[in-house]
Amino acid sequence: MYGLTLLSLSLATIMDQVLARPTSCGMGATQNKNGKAIYLITNDNTNAVVSIPIGEDGLLQTTGTSTATAGAGSNSFDGLTNQTAAPDALFSQSSLTIAGNNLFAVNAGCNSLSMFAIDPQDPTKLTMVGKPVAVPGEFPTTVAASAEHQIACVGSTGAKAGVSCASFSAKGLGAMDDLREFDLGQTTPPVGPMNTVSQVAFSNDGKTLFTTVKGDPTKNNTGFLASFHVQACTKTKAVSVSQKAVMSSPAGTAVLFGFSTMKGSNNLFVTDASFGGAVLSFDQGILATVQGKEVVYGQTATCWVAISPATNTAFVTDVGVNRMVEMSLTDASIQGQVDLSANGDPGLIDLRAAGDFVYALSPGNGTTQAAVTVVNAMTKEQVQHFQLQDLGVGKNAQGMALLE
Ligand SMILES: *[C@@H]1O[C@H](CO)[C@@H](O)[C@H](O)[C@H]1NC(C)=O
Ligand SMILES: *[C@@H]1O[C@H](CO)[C@@H](O)[C@H](O)[C@H]1NC(C)=O
Ligand SMILES: *[C@@H]1O[C@H](CO)[C@@H](O)[C@H](O)[C@H]1NC(C)=O
């Protein structure tokens, strides 16, 4: 646990700095249907998407599959421990995503994006559509896709960092457009977790592509949320994502990590690895400001979030503390926590919620095997601890997507 302790200390130091320099830096509760399946990537050298079906009771079933992406995973370098990063090999949320019946997954080790069709009869049956397309950035770690616009956008965080998009059809992905560059001064693989791209995702109305980028308070390097305008297609013009972003560095945030849109609201719930969680709202629909924020005590790094439709609250996770913390969508105040330490995992990364349940990935650490913990959001209890070794999933695993 040396590395995690160090991470904890470092982030605690950062938090002190942030606090010392605050300027530097819908839903019917009874109508929630269970998901059909969850997906993650092994992110191993021979990268694969692992699919696990969800039963009618909301629990994971043992008939999962593994489908090669025809690409390679990779690992970031952890500058706090001077070791190859794992768990949390990519320092990202959403390394794979779903739009309609298509699934998209990044290959960080070979700078490409793979696209699959999900069989509507059997959500664990994936068929690759076309060939993986080259991404102009290096070390892609996060992907967003819009069924409405038929477009997928990838965030890369290596020596060439930024966001690039490609349209897709039933035949596969088109060519990626020009990289919207971020001047991070990174290497390939990147040295993080600070100063790396965290997540890309579309707004609910499809008009904005958001990207979170972690700052590095030890280098006076401010993190930001980049908002790119999305222009819907017209009779004469294909859909396009603006090359220019509106950049916000909401006061009091520093290491913006995973985030989630909210049903029936334009606000975002964001995690910040340096302190906990925040609700962002948008001034005149553009500049992000903090509507509420809350420190998660005892954290090492709060980095991933999913909003439960059952409770209308955010569940956040930490790679170094095995619990889920439940936070308000109004002001990020802490509503409770689900202590999961009894299952023996070191901590949790990416997660998704559907029906009454929250599904969170622990890649393990090589000693502890990878597992998904399923929590009932209403009763705040673990209802399943599903181990992943038999599906070939180890400590490099990343991401989670859920088919509704
Ligand atoms: C990591 O390496 C750098 C450069 O060699 C060194 O300054 C730092 O103390 C090392 N950190 C740890 C935790 O070993
Ligand atoms: C950090 O950056 C801010 C804003 O650019 C600047 O005002 C401040 O002097 C910088 N501090 C250090 C220690 O470099
Ligand atoms: C892996 O995690 C378990 C549970 O937290 C811990 O007991 C073990 O020491 C960890 N192993 C390594 C290699 O970090």
Side-chain angles (χ1 to χ4, degrees), residues 43 73-77 89-91 107-111 135 137-142 154-160 187-190:
N43 190 39
S74 190
N75 296 74
S76 309
F77 192 77
L90 301 180
F91 302 140
N107 298 301
C110 62
N111 307 330
V135 172
E138 291 181 12
F139 211 82
T141 57
T142 175
V154 177
S156 300
T157 196
K160 279 158 87 185
T187 51
T188 303

Side-chain angles (χ1 to χ4, degrees), residues 1 344-346 365 367-368:
M1 292 303 286
D345 289 342
N365 56 19
T367 314
T368 310

Side-chain angles (χ1 to χ4, degrees), residues 129-253:
V129 186
K131 286 189 180 144
V133 296
V135 172
E138 291 181 12
F139 211 82
T141 57
T142 175
V143 56
S146 163
E148 176 197 355
H149 295 308
Q150 299 275 292
I151 193 168
C153 296
V154 177
S156 300
T157 196
K160 279 158 87 185
V163 174
S164 182
C165 303
S167 60
F168 65 87
S169 70
K171 290 183 184 148
L173 284 154
M176 285 277 160
D177 64 9
D178 291 345
L179 191 67
R180 294 154 190 78
E181 279 185 58
F182 297 140
D183 183 18
L184 301 183
Q186 268 292 0
T187 51
T188 303
V191 179
M194 260 65 88
N195 194 36
T196 57
V197 175
S198 303
Q199 185 182 355
V200 287
F202 286 97
S203 59
N204 290 331
D205 64 10
K207 289 182 180 158
T208 309
L209 176 72
F210 295 115
T211 309
T212 41
V213 177
K214 304 168 201 78
D216 185 349
T218 63
K219 293 183 181 148
N220 202 19
N221 178 349
T222 311
F224 55 89
L225 173 79
S227 306
F228 298 94
H229 181 67
V230 183
Q231 187 66 54
C233 69
T234 62
K235 272 187 185 142
T236 54
K237 212 165 163 284
V239 57
S240 68
V241 177
S242 172
Q243 283 287 326
K244 275 209 168 152
V246 174
M247 309 289 234
S248 311
S249 294
T253 68

Side-chain angles (χ1 to χ4, degrees), residues 208-372:
T208 309
L209 176 72
F210 295 115
T211 309
T212 41
V213 177
K214 304 168 201 78
D216 185 349
T218 63
K219 293 183 181 148
N220 202 19
N221 178 349
T222 311
F224 55 89
L225 173 79
S227 306
F228 298 94
H229 181 67
V230 183
Q231 187 66 54
C233 69
T234 62
K235 272 187 185 142
T236 54
K237 212 165 163 284
V239 57
S240 68
V241 177
S242 172
Q243 283 287 326
K244 275 209 168 152
V246 174
M247 309 289 234
S248 311
S249 294
T253 68
V255 188
L256 293 175
F257 210 116
F259 64 97
S260 175
T261 59
M262 301 177 188
K263 269 202 181 112
S265 162
N266 293 324
N267 293 350
L268 296 180
F269 191 99
V270 292
T271 61
D272 188 306
S274 68
F275 67 86
V279 174
L280 301 184
S281 58
F282 291 86
D283 273 355
Q284 284 137 17
I286 303 175
L287 273 183
T289 54
V290 173
Q291 177 169 312
K293 60 180 267 209
E294 182 90 358
V295 170
V296 174
Y297 285 99
Q299 71 146 22
T300 67
T302 303
C303 301
W304 298 268
V305 58
I307 291 175
S308 167
T311 54
N312 206 25
T313 53
F315 285 81
V316 301
T317 57
D318 183 323
V319 70
V321 188
N322 195 18
R323 66 180 177 193
M324 289 183 194
V325 177
E326 185 180 5
M327 303 178 91
S328 152
L329 299 189
T330 313
D331 58 6
S333 58
I334 293 175
Q335 306 297 300
Q337 67 163 307
V338 187
D339 179 2
L340 299 164
S341 55
N343 73 25
D345 289 342
L348 296 164
I349 63 164
D350 213 341
L351 70 166
R352 286 291 177 273
D356 286 349
F357 303 97
V358 184
Y359 306 84
L361 172 64
S362 171
N365 56 19
T367 314
T368 310
Q369 68 162 288
V372 174

